[in-house]
């Protein structure tokens, strides 16, 4: 992440995504809080993001877009319930980020099949990289 505003934007997008099913589960909040801590966002600022919906900044670097897509996918699986609205929204977000829809579909399927709902970083990057060939 290059700037503080990009970090804020990333969190805003994640918060909006977490609320797409109409409620914020404890696990989703905990996950968001961990991301905020990792990004060195003050807790007060983090809480303000739930009230102030700002404009989301486009992530320029493909690696960071893939990371953000994966964070959103992890967030989607946090509460143990996959809502149709979440599935639709994550695809919409990924396409708006310029990510390959086939790669996104493969990643989401691997996550669904994984008992931990996680995908190794090397596999994640390989899936998106092979779409360039």
């Amino acid at each position: 992440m290059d700037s503080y505003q990009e970090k804020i934007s990333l969190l805003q997008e994640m918060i909006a995504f977490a609320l797409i099913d109409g409620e914020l589960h404890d696990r989703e909040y905990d996950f968001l809080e961990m991301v905020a801590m990792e990004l060195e966002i003050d807790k007060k600022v983090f809480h303000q993001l739930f009230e102030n919906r700002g404009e989301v900044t486009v992530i320029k670097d493909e690696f960071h877009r893939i990371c953000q897509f994966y964070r959103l996918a992890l967030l989607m699986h946090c509460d143990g319930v996959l809502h149709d609205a979440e599935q639709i929204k994550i695809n919409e977000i990924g396409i708006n980020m310029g990510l390959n829809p086939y790669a996104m579909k493969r990643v989401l399927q691997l996550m669904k099949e994984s008992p931990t709902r996680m995908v190794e970083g090397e596999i994640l990057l390989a899936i998106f990289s092979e779409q360039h060939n």
Side-chain angles (χ1 to χ4, degrees), residues 10-11 14 26-41 43 46 50 71 74-75 78 118:
L10 182 145
L11 270 176
M14 292 182 75
D26 290 342
R27 287 183 185 177
E28 291 173 323
Y29 176 83
D30 292 343
F31 183 77
L32 290 167
E33 189 176 41
M34 285 189 324
V35 171
M37 287 172 48
E38 183 70 28
L39 296 174
E40 299 176 346
I41 303 297
K43 196 163 190 154
F46 171 64
F50 284 91
R71 282 187 204 99
L74 288 171
L75 182 59
C78 253
M118 297 179 81

Side-chain angles (χ1 to χ4, degrees), residues 63-118:
F63 174 77
H64 287 106
R65 290 192 311 259
I66 292 168
C67 290
Q68 176 67 350
F69 175 80
Y70 184 61
R71 282 187 204 99
L72 291 170
L74 288 171
L75 182 59
M76 182 171 77
H77 288 282
C78 253
D79 61 3
V81 180
L82 290 177
H83 297 276
D84 289 338
E86 290 173 328
Q87 297 266 2
I88 293 166
K89 188 65 175 176
I90 197 165
N91 284 310
E92 180 183 305
I93 291 170
I95 288 169
N96 288 339
M97 281 194 253
L99 297 177
N100 183 290
Y102 299 108
M104 293 184 311
K105 185 177 180 178
R106 284 192 56 209
V107 168
L108 293 174
Q109 186 60 41
L110 283 174
M111 290 179 78
K112 193 181 283 187
E113 294 169 359
S114 169
T116 62
R117 303 293 184 244
M118 297 179 81

